[in-house]
Amino acid sequence: MTESARGRPEIPRQQQLWVEEPAPRRRMPDPVRRAAVRAVLILSLTIIQAMVAFLSTLTGSWLAFPMVLSSVASTVAATWSVLDVWVTRQVWNQRNGVVSMPSSSARRLRRERRRARRAARSGQRDGARIGRRSPDRGLSRA
């Protein structure tokens, strides 16, 4: 350790202060993201509406009853919008599939294992065909 200008021992840094890391998840597909934004907006408006209904009920305002009714309707709409996000995500995954990009080494190993299994199966089939043939029987009876 070296001494700094103030007389304190200086600890050498081993890594940088700020390290960029890749995002842990891929970006959501556009239709799913649109549905999620819609759901968040509807949910936030529903919460605001419920709060206004609650406060107007406490104050005894004439606005309380219509706000309670509209809050119930908004709750149904918010539930529907959350279900819409889930359904949109499922549909997108079903139509477009999950994009998977394994590394080339994993792909190569999988390919080699597949070839070995195919060779073993074809060897078993050839052995089974040869075993079924009787030795006194020729290729044709003509």
Side-chain angles (χ1 to χ4, degrees):
M1 281 200 264
T2 60
E3 296 269 334
S4 67
R6 294 184 182 165
R8 293 187 203 150
E10 210 174 276
I11 300 171
R13 293 197 185 250
Q14 316 241 310
Q15 63 182 6
Q16 296 175 350
L17 185 61
W18 186 268
V19 178
E20 287 286 331
E21 294 182 8
R25 285 185 175 187
R26 295 182 69 100
R27 182 175 155 165
M28 276 194 294
D30 285 340
V32 178
R33 193 168 63 249
R34 262 182 292 193
V37 167
R38 227 180 3 249
V40 166
L41 289 174
I42 292 172
L43 281 170
S44 62
L45 289 175
T46 301
I47 291 171
I48 291 169
Q49 203 171 17
M51 202 64 193
V52 169
F54 175 72
L55 292 174
S56 59
T57 303
L58 287 180
T59 60
S61 172
W62 63 271
L63 196 60
F65 184 67
M67 286 304 287
V68 168
L69 287 181
S70 65
S71 291
V72 170
S74 291
T75 303
V76 171
T79 306
W80 187 266
S81 68
V82 170
L83 283 175
D84 179 46
V85 173
W86 182 69
V87 169
T88 306
R89 184 173 166 266
Q90 295 296 331
V91 167
W92 194 90
N93 281 339
Q94 193 172 25
R95 285 186 184 160
N96 301 307
V98 178
V99 178
S100 174
M101 302 179 99
S103 67
S104 59
S105 60
R107 193 177 296 130
R108 186 172 29 86
L109 287 172
R110 209 174 312 123
R111 195 177 299 138
E112 288 171 4
R113 274 189 254 130
R114 207 177 305 131
R115 282 183 188 144
R117 278 196 307 262
R118 284 181 188 152
R121 275 192 303 229
S122 66
Q124 288 174 350
R125 270 185 275 165
D126 291 343
R129 284 185 198 146
I130 293 171
R132 276 186 282 172
R133 224 180 261 161
S134 62
D136 59 338
R137 223 171 124 191
L139 290 177
S140 66
R141 300 186 118 197

